[in-house]
Amino acid sequence: MATRSTIMDTNSFRAEHADALDSDTRKLTDKRSKVLGESYRLFYRRPVHLVRGEGQYLWDAAGEKYLDVYNNVASIGHCHPAVTEAVQQQMSMLNTHTRYLHERILDYTDELLTTLPTEIDRAMYMCTGSEANDLAIRVARAYSGGTGIIVSQEAYHGTSDLTSGASPALGSGQALAATTRLVLSPDRYRVEAPDLGEWFAREIQKQIDDMAAHGIKFAGFLADSIFSSDGVLPGPKGFLQPAIDVVHRNGGIFIADEVQPGFARTGEAFWGFARHGVVPDIVTTGKPMGNGIPVSGLLAKSHVLSAFSDAIPYFNTFGGNPVAMAAAQAVLTVIKQEQLQEHSRVVGAALLAELRTLMDKYECIGDVRGAGLFIGFELVKDRESKTPDKALALDLTEQLRERRVLTSVAGPYGNVLKLRPPLAFQQHDIDWLVGALDASLAALIS
């Protein structure tokens, strides 16, 4: 029997669901299977055929409107006119690689660096978050002289050879690198420790010690600061600092994977790591920085980056091309002009409060946690034991899909709904989402 992965298969269409589909949907799923290969996955037992998007909304081929509560790639909203106009305008003039001079990449970098700690003063660009994290691992190894990388137990950092080897969320079918070590997730809901930060720092040290025992020199700790794939674990603000201190004391660097928590999503800060008052050695970004246009970045302290860049030329054919930079600049401008960081903080807090009211009604909701417009909604069999209820979580995503609310699950047990809408999500959308959750839970539990 084929191995099932965590993030790819938990909420997915499978062959046994095909007979329940209407004829048009069945034709599309059959053709996908025939021409795209077997590695691809579709969401939902009854896949959604989308044809249009605007802001936080999507429409299917039948004209039905959906609320998108999952897609962070379209970070400022589907088909945002500012991005569309910027891309069209630049595409009509020039799109080429970075071995020619062009102002866009320089102007954008100047502005982007103002959002970061002053110690971070260099930028490099790629097309995907996988490429950014791949390069970050290479830089960490060049700087430290080691090879060992620590990630959280359910982390996802990409699909390249290096990053898939440090992405346990891809499942047991994807082998981890021999130089990768997993640290327990800093799950305040499940970890009983008086100080989560000190506990997590000790767990990091254990893995560094294990590397040393196996003749592996530690290179760095790679983490998404809200631990998205681990089940959305914002933790108390500041709890990461002791862990980063341990990383530095052992000669490694901290790589902050900001593909998901960056660009104003957590509300409390522009970058997810900034909630904790830490200064990473490297920051990586992905396609949300361009609202879905293929663009990503690596931002670093100059002395860390120079260990790699002074010795090895790096060229990413279309990383940082003028069209991608135009999209990225448009996103940055919209975040500032529309005050999306504050919007995320205010609307996210209101959503979190409303979601928590459902806990009074449903014992199966074990925990609701988050920062800004990034919320984890955890389902359990009972609150006393905290036993994860994956089956209920998956049935709930299907019920939400029927009520035209799109999301998916996360966490090592597949029992946490990841609520991560485009930042265009508004106060008035809260009623749709919370109402759909209420009705769906009522239908499942009755």
Side-chain angles (χ1 to χ4, degrees):
M1 186 174 69
T3 302
R4 290 268 168 83
S5 70
T6 305
I7 63 170
M8 293 298 290
D9 281 311
T10 42
N11 173 27
S12 66
F13 169 77
R14 293 190 290 275
E16 60 262 35
H17 303 140
D19 289 343
L21 302 179
D22 63 82
S23 60
D24 287 342
T25 304
R26 178 68 182 269
K27 286 177 184 176
L28 287 174
T29 59
D30 287 349
K31 187 169 184 179
R32 274 179 63 103
S33 180
K34 181 179 179 180
V35 303
L36 295 183
E38 297 304 317
S39 288
Y40 284 98
R41 298 292 188 272
L42 285 160
F43 276 147
Y44 303 112
R45 298 162 196 164
R46 189 162 72 89
V48 183
H49 178 192
L50 297 175
V51 297
R52 185 166 71 88
E54 182 180 335
Q56 64 275 44
Y57 305 121
L58 295 161
W59 285 263
D60 67 15
E64 294 286 344
K65 182 181 179 182
Y66 294 76
L67 177 62
D68 185 354
V69 192
Y70 188 72
N71 198 335
N72 72 309
V73 173
S75 57
I76 59 173
H78 294 282
C79 304
H80 196 291
V83 178
T84 302
E85 181 181 353
V87 166
Q88 288 178 336
Q89 184 181 67
Q90 183 58 53
M91 182 68 82
S92 70
M93 293 189 295
L94 174 70
N95 197 27
T96 188
H97 55 70
T98 52
R99 295 188 73 176
Y100 302 114
L101 290 170
H102 200 277
E103 293 86 356
R104 276 202 182 276
I105 192 171
L106 302 175
D107 293 344
Y108 176 72
T109 300
D110 281 344
E111 187 169 351
L112 183 63
L113 289 176
T114 66
T115 69
L116 289 148
T118 56
E119 297 95 325
I120 298 173
D121 57 357
R122 294 290 186 273
M124 297 178 71
Y125 296 101
M126 307 87 212
C127 299
T128 68
S130 295
E131 291 174 315
N133 284 326
D134 187 291
L135 180 58
I137 292 172
R138 294 176 66 189
V139 174
R141 289 175 170 175
Y143 178 77
S144 67
T147 57
I149 299 294
I150 294 175
V151 297
S152 58
Q153 65 179 0
E154 195 65 19
Y156 171 70
H157 295 295
T159 57
S160 70
D161 185 48
L162 278 181
T163 57
S164 61
S167 293
L170 291 174
S172 57
Q174 169 63 58
L176 294 176
T179 51
T180 295
R181 292 294 183 274
L182 306 185
V183 67
L184 293 173
S185 305
D187 185 350
R188 186 163 58 167
Y189 177 57
R190 296 181 180 279
V191 172
E192 295 183 5
D195 188 318
L196 186 67
E198 292 298 331
W199 173 86
F200 193 53
R202 288 193 297 272
E203 295 300 314
I204 294 278
Q205 186 65 60
K206 287 178 187 178
Q207 297 309 316
I208 295 172
D209 293 344
D210 182 74
M211 285 180 179
H214 289 83
I216 299 168
K217 186 175 181 181
F218 175 54
F221 172 46
L222 170 58
D224 154 5
S225 56
I226 202 165
F227 298 88
S228 312
S229 297
D230 293 87
V232 188
L233 308 174
K237 287 190 288 187
F239 89 93
L240 277 181
Q241 186 64 65
I244 307 311
D245 291 342
V246 165
V247 168
H248 288 152
R249 281 200 301 269
N250 285 272
I253 68 168
F254 171 43
I255 304 165
D257 180 343
E258 289 288 316
V259 174
Q260 295 188 64
F263 289 89
R265 175 157 294 280
T266 64
E268 296 167 0
F270 189 88
W271 299 100
F273 68 78
R275 293 182 60 245
H276 300 293
V278 298
V279 178
D281 301 288
I282 295 176
V283 175
T284 57
T285 68
K287 289 179 285 294
M289 72 186 284
N291 213 47
I293 294 294
V295 60
S296 64
L298 179 148
L299 310 155
K301 296 175 178 176
S302 56
H303 75 278
V304 172
L305 185 58
S306 64
F308 175 88
S309 60
D310 286 359
I312 302 173
Y314 179 84
F315 177 54
N316 185 302
T317 303
F318 255 49
N321 69 74
V323 170
M325 291 292 96
Q329 181 63 69
V331 168
L332 202 54
T333 299
V334 167
I335 289 173
K336 292 179 178 180
Q337 289 182 347
E338 298 185 8
Q339 299 180 312
L340 292 184
Q341 181 182 322
E342 178 66 4
H343 170 83
S344 182
R345 186 188 68 80
V346 172
V347 177
L351 174 58
L352 192 65
E354 286 298 313
L355 290 170
R356 284 174 172 163
T357 65
L358 293 177
M359 296 181 74
D360 296 331
K361 191 172 182 180
Y362 300 102
E363 182 72 18
C364 61
I365 305 172
D367 192 32
V368 183
R369 54 188 177 257
L373 286 171
F374 209 147
I375 294 172
F377 189 88
E378 180 153 356
L379 283 304
V380 294
K381 293 186 182 295
D382 66 84
R383 289 184 189 163
E384 184 175 354
S385 70
K386 301 182 181 179
T387 302
D389 199 334
K390 177 180 177 179
L392 177 60
L394 292 177
D395 287 342
L396 182 55
T397 63
E398 298 292 339
Q399 284 279 334
L400 289 171
R401 177 252 182 274
E402 297 306 320
R403 290 172 173 81
R404 302 191 304 281
V405 173
L406 304 179
T407 191
S408 192
V409 294
Y413 313 107
N415 69 315
V416 180
L417 267 61
K418 184 191 285 189
L419 306 178
R420 181 192 55 180
L423 300 186
F425 186 93
Q426 300 293 325
Q427 289 270 5
H428 60 76
D429 295 312
I430 293 175
D431 288 344
W432 185 352
L433 171 55
V434 176
L437 277 166
D438 191 1
S440 296
L441 286 168
L444 290 168
I445 293 171
S446 62

